[in-house]
Amino acid sequence: MPETIIVGGGVSGLACARQLHDAGRSFLIVTEDIGGRVRASADGSSNLGAYYVTRDYEHVGKFVDRGRRIRRSEIQRGRRDGSFTRGDLQLLTHPIETLRFL
C-alpha cells in the first residue's frame, strides 16, 4: 500500500514523485497520461502544453533545462483537437498570468 497518492502526472506531480523517490518513500501516481500538459503533438513537431517554466515552478527548477527565449510572435495555444491559435478567449480567464508572460 503506497504511503502517498499523487493525483496528476504533470510537472508538479512528477516533481513530487521525484522528491518522494529520492527520500525512499512509497507513492502511487494516478493520472490520465504521464507528462500532463508537457506533451508533444502526434507527429512530435510541436509541444502541446507547458511551454515555459516561471518562478512559480521553483520546486522543479533543478529538474529542467532552460532553452532559448520565446518570441511573442511564436506564441500559440494548443487546442485539444491538435490545432493551434494565437488568440484565444481562454487567455482572458488568466489576465495577470497572460500579461506577465507577454
Side-chain angles (χ1 to χ4, degrees):
M1 182 99 160
E3 187 176 11
T4 303
I5 297 175
I6 302 168
V7 179
V11 172
S12 297
L14 293 176
C16 180
R18 181 61 187 219
Q19 291 291 323
L20 290 168
H21 175 270
D22 290 349
R25 309 305 288 249
S26 64
F27 61 90
L28 171 69
I29 297 179
V30 178
T31 186
E32 187 173 292
D33 52 308
I34 295 294
R37 295 181 303 142
V38 186
R39 294 177 296 177
S41 60
D43 65 2
S45 65
S46 301
N47 290 325
L48 298 178
Y51 294 104
Y52 58 93
V53 175
T54 66
R55 66 176 171 247
D56 299 342
Y57 291 94
E58 289 177 8
H59 57 292
V60 296
K62 62 184 175 183
F63 302 113
V64 258
D65 293 327
R66 294 197 179 246
R68 66 177 180 81
R69 241 187 198 307
I70 299 172
R71 295 184 197 102
R72 285 186 214 159
S73 62
E74 297 174 329
I75 298 172
Q76 294 186 17
R77 183 181 172 283
R79 295 180 176 159
R80 291 184 190 268
D81 65 4
S83 65
F84 295 90
T85 179
R86 290 193 191 280
D88 195 327
L89 293 177
Q90 280 193 335
L91 293 175
L92 297 177
T93 61
H94 304 285
I96 294 171
E97 291 81 2
T98 301
L99 287 173
R100 191 173 74 196
F101 178 74
L102 294 174

Coordinates of all heavy atoms in Angstrom, one line a residue:
M1 N 0.8 -1.2 0.0 CA 0.0 0.0 0.0 C 0.9 1.2 0.0 O 1.8 1.4 0.9 CB -0.9 0.0 1.3 CG -1.8 1.1 1.3 SD -3.4 0.5 0.8 CE -4.4 1.7 1.5
P2 N 0.7 2.2 -1.0 CA 1.5 3.4 -1.0 C 1.3 4.3 0.2 O 0.1 4.4 0.7 CB 1.1 4.0 -2.3 CG -0.2 3.5 -2.6 CD -0.3 2.1 -2.0
E3 N 2.3 5.0 0.6 CA 2.2 5.9 1.7 C 1.5 7.2 1.2 O 0.8 7.9 1.9 CB 3.6 6.2 2.1 CG 3.7 7.1 3.3 CD 5.1 7.2 3.8 OE1 6.1 6.8 3.1 OE2 5.3 7.7 4.9
T4 N 1.8 7.6 -0.1 CA 1.3 8.8 -0.7 C 0.6 8.6 -2.0 O 1.2 7.8 -2.8 CB 2.4 9.9 -0.9 OG1 3.1 10.1 0.4 CG2 1.9 11.2 -1.4
I5 N -0.5 9.2 -2.3 CA -1.1 9.1 -3.6 C -1.0 10.5 -4.3 O -1.4 11.5 -3.7 CB -2.6 8.7 -3.5 CG1 -2.7 7.3 -2.9 CG2 -3.2 8.8 -4.9 CD1 -4.1 6.8 -2.7
I6 N -0.4 10.5 -5.5 CA -0.2 11.8 -6.2 C -1.3 11.8 -7.3 O -1.3 10.9 -8.2 CB 1.2 11.9 -6.8 CG1 2.2 11.8 -5.7 CG2 1.3 13.1 -7.7 CD1 3.6 11.6 -6.3
V7 N -2.1 12.8 -7.4 CA -3.1 12.9 -8.4 C -2.6 13.8 -9.5 O -2.4 15.0 -9.2 CB -4.5 13.4 -7.8 CG1 -5.5 13.6 -8.9 CG2 -5.0 12.5 -6.7
G8 N -2.3 13.3 -10.6 CA -1.8 14.1 -11.8 C -0.3 13.8 -12.0 O 0.5 13.9 -11.1
G9 N 0.0 13.5 -13.2 CA 1.4 13.2 -13.6 C 2.0 14.3 -14.4 O 2.8 14.1 -15.3
G10 N 1.6 15.6 -14.2 CA 2.2 16.7 -14.9 C 3.5 17.2 -14.2 O 4.1 16.4 -13.4
V11 N 3.9 18.4 -14.5 CA 5.1 18.9 -13.9 C 5.2 18.8 -12.4 O 6.1 18.3 -11.8 CB 5.3 20.4 -14.3 CG1 6.5 21.0 -13.6 CG2 5.5 20.5 -15.8
S12 N 4.1 19.2 -11.7 CA 4.1 19.2 -10.3 C 4.1 17.8 -9.7 O 4.7 17.4 -8.7 CB 3.0 20.0 -9.7 OG 3.1 21.4 -10.1
G13 N 3.2 17.0 -10.3 CA 3.1 15.6 -9.8 C 4.4 14.8 -10.0 O 4.8 14.1 -9.1
L14 N 5.0 15.0 -11.1 CA 6.3 14.3 -11.3 C 7.4 14.8 -10.4 O 8.2 14.1 -9.9 CB 6.7 14.4 -12.8 CG 5.8 13.7 -13.8 CD1 6.3 14.0 -15.2 CD2 5.8 12.2 -13.5
A15 N 7.4 16.1 -10.1 CA 8.4 16.7 -9.2 C 8.1 16.1 -7.8 O 9.1 15.8 -7.1 CB 8.3 18.2 -9.2
C16 N 6.9 16.0 -7.4 CA 6.5 15.4 -6.1 C 7.0 14.0 -6.1 O 7.6 13.5 -5.1 CB 5.0 15.5 -5.9 SG 4.5 14.8 -4.3
A17 N 6.7 13.2 -7.1 CA 7.2 11.8 -7.2 C 8.7 11.7 -7.1 O 9.2 10.8 -6.4 CB 6.7 11.2 -8.5
R18 N 9.4 12.6 -7.7 CA 10.9 12.6 -7.7 C 11.4 12.8 -6.2 O 12.3 12.1 -5.8 CB 11.4 13.6 -8.6 CG 12.9 13.7 -8.7 CD 13.5 12.4 -9.1 NE 14.9 12.3 -9.0 CZ 15.7 11.7 -9.9 NH1 15.2 11.2 -11.0 NH2 17.0 11.7 -9.7
Q19 N 10.7 13.8 -5.6 CA 11.1 14.1 -4.2 C 10.9 12.9 -3.3 O 11.7 12.5 -2.4 CB 10.4 15.3 -3.7 CG 10.8 16.6 -4.3 CD 12.2 17.0 -3.9 OE1 12.6 16.8 -2.8 NE2 12.9 17.6 -4.9
L20 N 9.7 12.2 -3.5 CA 9.4 11.1 -2.7 C 10.3 9.9 -3.0 O 10.8 9.2 -2.1 CB 7.9 10.7 -2.9 CG 6.9 11.6 -2.3 CD1 5.5 11.3 -2.9 CD2 6.9 11.6 -0.8
H21 N 10.6 9.7 -4.2 CA 11.5 8.6 -4.6 C 12.9 8.8 -4.0 O 13.5 7.9 -3.5 CB 11.6 8.6 -6.2 CG 12.6 7.6 -6.7 ND1 14.0 8.0 -6.9 CD2 12.5 6.3 -7.0 CE1 14.6 6.9 -7.3 NE2 13.8 5.9 -7.4
D22 N 13.4 10.1 -4.1 CA 14.7 10.4 -3.5 C 14.7 10.2 -2.0 O 15.8 9.9 -1.5 CB 15.1 11.8 -3.9 CG 15.5 12.0 -5.4 OD1 15.6 10.9 -6.1 OD2 15.6 13.1 -5.8
A23 N 13.6 10.4 -1.4 CA 13.5 10.2 0.1 C 13.2 8.8 0.5 O 13.1 8.5 1.7 CB 12.4 11.1 0.6
G24 N 13.1 7.9 -0.5 CA 12.8 6.5 -0.2 C 11.4 6.2 0.2 O 11.1 5.2 0.9
R25 N 10.4 7.1 -0.1 CA 9.0 6.9 0.3 C 8.2 6.2 -0.8 O 8.5 6.4 -2.0 CB 8.4 8.3 0.6 CG 9.2 9.2 1.5 CD 9.5 8.5 2.8 NE 8.4 8.4 3.7 CZ 8.2 9.1 4.8 NH1 9.2 10.0 5.2 NH2 7.2 8.9 5.5
S26 N 7.2 5.5 -0.4 CA 6.3 4.8 -1.4 C 5.2 5.8 -1.9 O 4.7 6.6 -1.1 CB 5.7 3.6 -0.8 OG 4.9 3.9 0.3
F27 N 4.9 5.7 -3.1 CA 3.8 6.5 -3.7 C 3.2 5.9 -4.9 O 3.7 4.9 -5.5 CB 4.4 7.9 -4.1 CG 5.5 7.8 -5.2 CD1 5.1 7.9 -6.5 CD2 6.8 7.7 -4.8 CE1 6.1 7.8 -7.5 CE2 7.8 7.6 -5.8 CZ 7.4 7.7 -7.2
L28 N 2.0 6.4 -5.2 CA 1.3 5.9 -6.4 C 0.9 7.2 -7.2 O 0.3 8.1 -6.6 CB 0.0 5.1 -6.0 CG -0.9 4.8 -7.1 CD1 -0.3 3.8 -8.1 CD2 -2.2 4.3 -6.5
I29 N 1.1 7.2 -8.5 CA 0.7 8.4 -9.3 C -0.6 7.9 -10.0 O -0.6 6.9 -10.7 CB 1.7 8.8 -10.4 CG1 3.0 9.3 -9.7 CG2 1.2 9.8 -11.3 CD1 4.1 9.7 -10.6
V30 N -1.7 8.7 -9.9 CA -2.9 8.5 -10.6 C -3.1 9.6 -11.6 O -3.1 10.8 -11.3 CB -4.1 8.5 -9.6 CG1 -5.4 8.3 -10.4 CG2 -4.0 7.5 -8.5
T31 N -3.0 9.2 -12.9 CA -3.0 10.2 -14.0 C -3.6 9.6 -15.3 O -3.5 8.4 -15.5 CB -1.6 10.8 -14.2 OG1 -1.6 11.8 -15.1 CG2 -0.7 9.7 -14.7
E32 N -4.1 10.5 -16.1 CA -4.5 10.1 -17.4 C -3.4 9.8 -18.3 O -3.4 8.9 -19.1 CB -5.4 11.3 -18.0 CG -6.1 10.9 -19.3 CD -7.0 12.0 -19.7 OE1 -8.0 12.2 -19.0 OE2 -6.7 12.6 -20.7
D33 N -2.3 10.6 -18.2 CA -1.1 10.4 -19.0 C 0.1 11.1 -18.4 O 0.0 12.2 -17.9 CB -1.3 10.8 -20.5 CG -1.8 12.2 -20.6 OD1 -2.8 12.6 -20.0 OD2 -1.1 13.0 -21.3
I34 N 1.2 10.4 -18.3 CA 2.4 10.9 -17.8 C 2.9 12.1 -18.6 O 2.9 12.1 -19.8 CB 3.5 9.9 -17.7 CG1 3.2 8.8 -16.8 CG2 4.9 10.5 -17.3 CD1 3.1 9.1 -15.3
G35 N 3.2 13.2 -17.9 CA 3.7 14.4 -18.6 C 2.6 15.5 -18.5 O 2.9 16.7 -18.7
G36 N 1.4 15.2 -18.3 CA 0.3 16.2 -18.2 C 0.3 17.0 -19.4 O 0.2 16.5 -20.5
R37 N 0.4 18.3 -19.2 CA 0.4 19.3 -20.3 C 1.7 19.3 -21.1 O 1.8 20.0 -22.1 CB 0.0 20.7 -19.8 CG -1.5 20.7 -19.3 CD -1.8 22.1 -18.9 NE -0.9 22.6 -17.9 CZ -0.4 23.8 -17.8 NH1 -0.8 24.7 -18.6 NH2 0.4 24.1 -16.8
V38 N 2.7 18.7 -20.5 CA 4.0 18.7 -21.2 C 4.1 17.6 -22.1 O 4.7 16.5 -21.9 CB 5.2 18.6 -20.1 CG1 6.5 18.8 -20.8 CG2 5.0 19.7 -19.1
R39 N 3.4 17.7 -23.2 CA 3.3 16.6 -24.3 C 3.6 17.2 -25.6 O 3.5 18.4 -25.8 CB 1.9 16.0 -24.3 CG 1.7 15.2 -23.0 CD 0.3 14.7 -23.0 NE -0.6 15.8 -23.1 CZ -1.9 15.7 -23.2 NH1 -2.5 14.6 -23.3 NH2 -2.7 16.8 -23.2
A40 N 3.8 16.4 -26.6 CA 4.0 16.8 -28.0 C 2.9 16.4 -28.8 O 2.1 15.4 -28.5 CB 5.3 16.3 -28.5
S41 N 2.7 17.0 -30.0 CA 1.7 16.6 -31.0 C 2.0 15.1 -31.4 O 3.1 14.6 -31.2 CB 1.7 17.5 -32.2 OG 3.0 17.5 -32.8
A42 N 1.1 14.5 -32.1 CA 1.2 13.1 -32.5 C 2.5 12.9 -33.4 O 3.1 11.9 -33.3 CB 0.0 12.7 -33.3
D43 N 2.8 13.9 -34.2 CA 3.9 13.8 -35.1 C 5.2 14.3 -34.4 O 6.3 14.2 -35.0 CB 3.7 14.5 -36.4 CG 3.6 16.0 -36.3 OD1 3.7 16.5 -35.2 OD2 3.4 16.7 -37.3
G44 N 5.1 14.8 -33.2 CA 6.3 15.2 -32.4 C 6.8 16.6 -32.8 O 7.9 17.0 -32.4
S45 N 6.1 17.3 -33.7 CA 6.7 18.6 -34.2 C 6.4 19.8 -33.3 O 7.0 20.8 -33.4 CB 6.1 18.9 -35.6 OG 4.7 19.0 -35.5
S46 N 5.4 19.6 -32.4 CA 5.0 20.8 -31.6 C 4.7 20.3 -30.1 O 4.1 19.3 -29.9 CB 3.8 21.5 -32.1 OG 4.0 21.9 -33.4
N47 N 5.1 21.2 -29.2 CA 4.7 21.0 -27.8 C 3.2 21.4 -27.7 O 2.8 22.3 -28.3 CB 5.5 21.8 -26.8 CG 6.9 21.3 -26.8 OD1 7.1 20.1 -26.9 ND2 7.9 22.1 -26.6
L48 N 2.5 20.7 -26.8 CA 1.1 21.0 -26.6 C 0.8 21.6 -25.3 O -0.4 22.0 -25.0 CB 0.2 19.7 -26.8 CG 0.3 19.0 -28.1 CD1 -0.6 17.8 -28.1 CD2 -0.2 20.0 -29.2
G49 N 1.7 21.7 -24.4 CA 1.4 22.1 -23.0 C 2.3 23.2 -22.5 O 2.4 24.3 -23.0
A50 N 2.8 22.9 -21.3 CA 3.6 23.9 -20.6 C 4.9 24.3 -21.4 O 5.8 23.6 -21.4 CB 4.0 23.3 -19.2
Y51 N 4.8 25.4 -22.0 CA 5.9 25.8 -22.9 C 7.0 26.5 -22.1 O 8.1 26.6 -22.6 CB 5.4 26.9 -23.9 CG 4.4 26.3 -24.9 CD1 3.0 26.6 -24.8 CD2 4.8 25.5 -25.9 CE1 2.1 26.1 -25.7 CE2 3.9 25.0 -26.8 CZ 2.6 25.3 -26.7 OH 1.7 24.8 -27.6
Y52 N 6.7 26.9 -20.9 CA 7.7 27.7 -20.2 C 7.6 27.4 -18.7 O 6.6 26.9 -18.2 CB 7.6 29.2 -20.4 CG 6.2 29.7 -20.0 CD1 6.0 30.2 -18.8 CD2 5.2 29.7 -20.9 CE1 4.7 30.7 -18.4 CE2 3.9 30.1 -20.6 CZ 3.7 30.6 -19.3 OH 2.5 31.1 -18.9
V53 N 8.7 27.6 -18.0 CA 8.7 27.4 -16.6 C 9.1 28.8 -16.0 O 10.1 29.4 -16.3 CB 9.8 26.4 -16.2 CG1 9.9 26.3 -14.7 CG2 9.5 25.0 -16.8
T54 N 8.2 29.2 -15.1 CA 8.4 30.5 -14.4 C 8.8 30.3 -13.0 O 9.0 29.2 -12.5 CB 7.1 31.4 -14.5 OG1 6.1 30.7 -13.6 CG2 6.6 31.5 -15.9
R55 N 9.0 31.4 -12.3 CA 9.4 31.3 -10.9 C 8.4 30.5 -10.0 O 8.7 30.1 -8.9 CB 9.7 32.7 -10.3 CG 8.5 33.6 -10.2 CD 8.9 34.9 -9.5 NE 7.8 35.8 -9.6 CZ 7.8 36.9 -10.3 NH1 8.9 37.2 -11.0 NH2 6.7 37.7 -10.3
D56 N 7.1 30.4 -10.5 CA 6.1 29.6 -9.8 C 6.5 28.1 -9.7 O 6.0 27.4 -8.9 CB 4.8 29.7 -10.5 CG 4.2 31.1 -10.6 OD1 4.7 32.0 -9.9 OD2 3.4 31.3 -11.5
Y57 N 7.5 27.7 -10.5 CA 7.9 26.3 -10.6 C 9.2 26.1 -9.8 O 10.0 25.3 -10.3 CB 8.0 25.8 -12.0 CG 6.7 25.7 -12.7 CD1 6.2 26.7 -13.5 CD2 5.9 24.5 -12.6 CE1 4.9 26.6 -14.1 CE2 4.7 24.4 -13.2 CZ 4.2 25.4 -14.0 OH 3.0 25.3 -14.6
E58 N 9.5 26.8 -8.8 CA 10.7 26.7 -8.0 C 11.1 25.3 -7.7 O 12.2 24.9 -7.7 CB 10.7 27.6 -6.8 CG 10.7 29.1 -7.0 CD 10.6 29.9 -5.7 OE1 10.6 29.2 -4.7 OE2 10.4 31.1 -5.8
H59 N 10.1 24.5 -7.3 CA 10.3 23.2 -6.8 C 10.7 22.2 -7.9 O 11.2 21.1 -7.6 CB 9.0 22.6 -6.1 CG 7.8 22.7 -7.0 ND1 7.2 23.8 -7.4 CD2 7.1 21.7 -7.6 CE1 6.2 23.5 -8.2 NE2 6.1 22.2 -8.3
V60 N 10.6 22.6 -9.2 CA 11.0 21.7 -10.3 C 12.2 22.3 -11.0 O 12.7 21.7 -11.9 CB 9.9 21.4 -11.2 CG1 8.8 20.6 -10.6 CG2 9.3 22.6 -11.9
G61 N 12.6 23.5 -10.6 CA 13.7 24.2 -11.4 C 14.9 23.4 -11.6 O 15.6 23.5 -12.6
K62 N 15.3 22.6 -10.6 CA 16.6 21.9 -10.7 C 16.4 20.7 -11.7 O 17.4 20.1 -12.0 CB 17.0 21.4 -9.3 CG 16.1 20.5 -8.6 CD 16.7 20.2 -7.2 CE 15.7 19.3 -6.4 NZ 16.1 19.0 -5.1
F63 N 15.2 20.4 -12.1 CA 15.0 19.3 -13.0 C 14.8 19.7 -14.4 O 14.6 18.8 -15.3 CB 13.8 18.4 -12.5 CG 13.9 17.9 -11.1 CD1 13.1 18.4 -10.1 CD2 14.9 17.0 -10.8 CE1 13.2 17.9 -8.8 CE2 15.0 16.5 -9.5 CZ 14.2 17.0 -8.5
V64 N 14.8 21.0 -14.7 CA 14.5 21.4 -16.1 C 15.7 22.2 -16.6 O 16.4 22.9 -15.9 CB 13.3 22.4 -16.1 CG1 12.1 21.7 -16.7 CG2 13.0 23.1 -14.9
D65 N 15.9 22.1 -17.9 CA 16.9 22.9 -18.6 C 16.2 24.0 -19.3 O 15.2 23.9 -19.9 CB 17.6 22.0 -19.7 CG 18.5 20.9 -19.1 OD1 19.0 21.1 -18.0 OD2 18.6 19.9 -19.7
R66 N 16.8 25.2 -19.1 CA 16.3 26.4 -19.8 C 16.7 26.4 -21.2 O 17.9 26.2 -21.5 CB 16.7 27.6 -19.1 CG 16.1 27.7 -17.7 CD 16.2 29.1 -17.2 NE 15.6 29.1 -15.9 CZ 14.5 29.8 -15.6 NH1 13.9 30.5 -16.5 NH2 14.0 29.8 -14.4
G67 N 15.8 26.6 -22.1 CA 16.1 26.7 -23.5 C 16.2 28.1 -24.0 O 16.4 29.1 -23.2
R68 N 16.0 28.3 -25.3 CA 16.1 29.7 -25.8 C 14.8 30.5 -25.4 O 13.8 29.9 -25.0 CB 16.2 29.6 -27.4 CG 14.9 29.0 -28.0 CD 15.1 29.1 -29.5 NE 14.0 28.6 -30.2 CZ 12.8 29.2 -30.4 NH1 12.7 30.5 -30.0 NH2 11.8 28.7 -31.0
R69 N 15.0 31.8 -25.5 CA 13.9 32.7 -25.2 C 12.8 32.6 -26.2 O 13.0 32.4 -27.4 CB 14.4 34.1 -25.2 CG 14.2 34.8 -23.9 CD 14.6 36.2 -24.0 NE 14.8 36.9 -22.8 CZ 14.1 36.9 -21.7 NH1 13.0 36.3 -21.7 NH2 14.4 37.6 -20.7
I70 N 11.5 32.6 -25.8 CA 10.4 32.6 -26.7 C 10.0 34.0 -27.1 O 9.9 34.9 -26.3 CB 9.2 32.0 -25.9 CG1 9.5 30.6 -25.4 CG2 7.9 31.9 -26.8 CD1 8.4 30.0 -24.6
R71 N 9.9 34.1 -28.4 CA 9.5 35.4 -29.0 C 7.9 35.5 -29.0 O 7.3 34.5 -29.2 CB 10.0 35.5 -30.4 CG 11.5 35.6 -30.5 CD 11.9 35.8 -32.0 NE 13.2 35.5 -32.2 CZ 13.7 34.3 -32.7 NH1 12.9 33.4 -33.1 NH2 15.0 34.1 -32.8
R72 N 7.4 36.7 -28.7 CA 5.9 36.8 -28.7 C 5.3 36.3 -30.0 O 4.2 35.8 -30.0 CB 5.6 38.3 -28.4 CG 5.8 38.7 -27.0 CD 5.3 40.0 -26.8 NE 6.2 40.6 -25.7 CZ 6.3 41.9 -25.5 NH1 5.6 42.7 -26.3 NH2 7.1 42.3 -24.6
S73 N 5.9 36.6 -31.1 CA 5.4 36.2 -32.4 C 5.3 34.7 -32.5 O 4.5 34.2 -33.4 CB 6.2 36.7 -33.5 OG 7.5 36.2 -33.5
E74 N 5.9 33.9 -31.7 CA 5.9 32.4 -31.7 C 4.9 31.8 -30.8 O 4.7 30.6 -30.9 CB 7.3 31.9 -31.4 CG 8.4 32.3 -32.3 CD 9.7 31.8 -31.8 OE1 9.9 31.8 -30.6 OE2 10.6 31.6 -32.6
I75 N 4.2 32.6 -30.0 CA 3.3 32.1 -29.0 C 2.0 31.6 -29.7 O 1.3 32.4 -30.4 CB 3.0 33.1 -27.9 CG1 4.2 33.5 -27.2 CG2 1.9 32.6 -27.0 CD1 4.0 34.7 -26.3
Q76 N 1.7 30.4 -29.5 CA 0.4 29.8 -29.9 C -0.1 28.9 -28.8 O 0.6 28.3 -28.1 CB 0.6 29.0 -31.2 CG 1.0 29.8 -32.4 CD 1.0 29.0 -33.6 OE1 0.4 27.9 -33.7 NE2 1.7 29.5 -34.7
R77 N -1.4 28.8 -28.7 CA -2.0 27.9 -27.8 C -2.5 26.6 -28.4 O -3.2 26.7 -29.4 CB -3.2 28.6 -27.1 CG -3.8 27.8 -26.0 CD -5.0 28.5 -25.4 NE -5.7 27.7 -24.5 CZ -6.6 26.7 -24.9 NH1 -6.8 26.5 -26.1 NH2 -7.2 26.0 -24.0
G78 N -2.1 25.5 -27.9 CA -2.6 24.2 -28.5 C -3.9 23.9 -28.0 O -4.2 24.0 -26.8
R79 N -4.8 23.5 -28.9 CA -6.1 23.1 -28.5 C -6.2 21.5 -28.4 O -5.3 20.8 -28.9 CB -7.1 23.5 -29.6 CG -7.2 25.0 -29.7 CD -8.2 25.4 -30.7 NE -8.4 26.9 -30.8 CZ -8.8 27.5 -31.8 NH1 -9.2 26.8 -32.9 NH2 -9.0 28.8 -31.8
R80 N -7.2 21.1 -27.8 CA -7.4 19.6 -27.6 C -7.5 18.9 -28.9 O -7.1 17.7 -29.0 CB -8.6 19.3 -26.8 CG -8.5 19.7 -25.3 CD -9.7 19.3 -24.5 NE -9.7 19.9 -23.2 CZ -9.2 19.3 -22.1 NH1 -8.6 18.1 -22.2 NH2 -9.2 19.9 -21.0
D81 N -8.0 19.5 -30.0 CA -8.1 18.8 -31.2 C -6.8 18.8 -32.0 O -6.8 18.3 -33.2 CB -9.2 19.5 -32.1 CG -8.9 20.9 -32.5 OD1 -7.8 21.4 -32.2 OD2 -9.8 21.5 -33.1
G82 N -5.8 19.3 -31.5 CA -4.5 19.3 -32.1 C -4.2 20.6 -32.9 O -3.1 20.7 -33.4
S83 N -5.1 21.5 -33.1 CA -4.9 22.7 -33.8 C -4.3 23.8 -32.9 O -4.2 23.5 -31.7 CB -6.2 23.2 -34.4 OG -7.1 23.6 -33.4
F84 N -3.8 24.9 -33.4 CA -3.2 25.9 -32.7 C -3.8 27.3 -33.0 O -4.3 27.5 -34.1 CB -1.7 26.0 -33.0 CG -1.0 24.7 -32.6 CD1 -0.8 23.7 -33.5 CD2 -0.4 24.6 -31.3 CE1 -0.2 22.5 -33.1 CE2 0.3 23.5 -30.9 CZ 0.4 22.4 -31.8
T85 N -3.7 28.2 -32.0 CA -4.3 29.5 -32.2 C -3.4 30.5 -31.5 O -2.7 30.2 -30.5 CB -5.7 29.6 -31.7 OG1 -6.2 31.0 -31.9 CG2 -5.8 29.3 -30.2
R86 N -3.3 31.7 -32.1 CA -2.5 32.8 -31.5 C -3.4 33.6 -30.4 O -2.9 34.0 -29.4 CB -2.0 33.8 -32.5 CG -0.9 33.2 -33.3 CD -0.2 34.3 -34.2 NE 0.6 33.7 -35.1 CZ 1.8 33.2 -34.9 NH1 2.3 33.2 -33.7 NH2 2.5 32.6 -35.9
G87 N -4.6 33.8 -30.7 CA -5.5 34.4 -29.8 C -6.6 33.5 -29.4 O -7.1 32.7 -30.1
D88 N -7.0 33.5 -28.1 CA -7.9 32.6 -27.6 C -8.7 33.2 -26.4 O -8.0 33.8 -25.5 CB -7.2 31.3 -27.1 CG -8.1 30.2 -26.9 OD1 -9.3 30.4 -26.5 OD2 -7.7 29.0 -27.2
L89 N -10.0 33.1 -26.4 CA -10.7 33.7 -25.3 C -10.4 33.1 -23.9 O -10.5 33.7 -22.9 CB -12.2 33.5 -25.5 CG -12.8 34.3 -26.7 CD1 -14.3 34.0 -26.9 CD2 -12.6 35.8 -26.5
Q90 N -9.9 31.9 -23.9 CA -9.5 31.3 -22.6 C -8.3 32.0 -22.0 O -8.2 32.0 -20.8 CB -9.1 29.8 -22.8 CG -10.2 28.9 -22.9 CD -9.8 27.4 -22.8 OE1 -8.7 27.1 -23.1 NE2 -10.8 26.6 -22.4
L91 N -7.5 32.7 -22.7 CA -6.4 33.5 -22.2 C -7.0 34.6 -21.3 O -6.3 35.1 -20.3 CB -5.5 34.1 -23.2 CG -4.7 33.1 -24.1 CD1 -4.0 33.8 -25.2 CD2 -3.8 32.3 -23.2
L92 N -8.2 35.1 -21.6 CA -8.8 36.1 -20.8 C -9.2 35.6 -19.4 O -9.4 36.5 -18.5 CB -10.1 36.7 -21.5 CG -9.8 37.3 -22.8 CD1 -11.2 37.7 -23.4 CD2 -8.9 38.5 -22.7
T93 N -9.2 34.3 -19.1 CA -9.5 33.8 -17.8 C -8.3 33.9 -16.9 O -8.5 33.7 -15.7 CB -10.1 32.4 -17.9 OG1 -9.1 31.6 -18.4 CG2 -11.3 32.3 -18.7
H94 N -7.2 34.2 -17.5 CA -5.9 34.3 -16.7 C -5.2 35.6 -17.1 O -4.1 35.6 -17.6 CB -5.0 33.1 -16.9 CG -5.6 31.8 -16.6 ND1 -5.9 31.4 -15.4 CD2 -6.1 30.9 -17.5 CE1 -6.4 30.2 -15.4 NE2 -6.6 29.9 -16.7
P95 N -5.8 36.8 -16.9 CA -5.3 38.0 -17.4 C -3.9 38.4 -16.8 O -3.0 38.9 -17.5 CB -6.3 39.1 -17.0 CG -7.1 38.5 -15.9 CD -7.1 37.0 -16.1
I96 N -3.7 38.2 -15.5 CA -2.5 38.6 -14.8 C -1.3 37.7 -15.4 O -0.3 38.2 -15.7 CB -2.6 38.5 -13.3 CG1 -3.6 39.5 -12.8 CG2 -1.2 38.6 -12.7 CD1 -3.9 39.4 -11.4
E97 N -1.6 36.4 -15.5 CA -0.5 35.5 -16.0 C -0.2 35.8 -17.4 O 0.9 35.8 -17.8 CB -1.0 34.0 -15.8 CG -1.0 33.6 -14.4 CD -2.3 34.0 -13.7 OE1 -3.2 34.6 -14.3 OE2 -2.4 33.7 -12.5
T98 N -1.3 36.1 -18.2 CA -1.0 36.4 -19.6 C -0.2 37.7 -19.8 O 0.8 37.7 -20.6 CB -2.4 36.6 -20.4 OG1 -3.1 35.3 -20.2 CG2 -2.2 36.9 -21.8
L99 N -0.5 38.7 -19.1 CA 0.2 40.0 -19.1 C 1.6 39.8 -18.6 O 2.6 40.3 -19.2 CB -0.5 41.1 -18.3 CG -1.7 41.6 -18.9 CD1 -2.4 42.6 -18.0 CD2 -1.5 42.3 -20.3
R100 N 1.8 39.0 -17.6 CA 3.2 38.8 -17.0 C 4.0 38.0 -18.1 O 5.2 38.3 -18.2 CB 3.1 38.0 -15.7 CG 4.4 37.9 -15.0 CD 4.2 37.3 -13.6 NE 4.0 35.9 -13.8 CZ 3.6 35.1 -12.9 NH1 3.2 35.6 -11.7 NH2 3.5 33.8 -13.1
F101 N 3.4 37.1 -18.7 CA 4.1 36.3 -19.7 C 4.5 37.2 -20.9 O 5.6 37.1 -21.4 CB 3.3 35.1 -20.2 CG 3.9 34.3 -21.3 CD1 5.0 33.5 -21.0 CD2 3.5 34.4 -22.6 CE1 5.6 32.8 -22.0 CE2 4.2 33.7 -23.6 CZ 5.2 32.9 -23.3
L102 N 3.6 38.0 -21.4 CA 3.8 38.9 -22.5 C 4.8 40.0 -22.2 O 5.6 40.4 -22.9 CB 2.5 39.5 -23.1 CG 1.6 38.5 -23.7 CD1 0.3 39.1 -24.1 CD2 2.2 37.8 -24.9

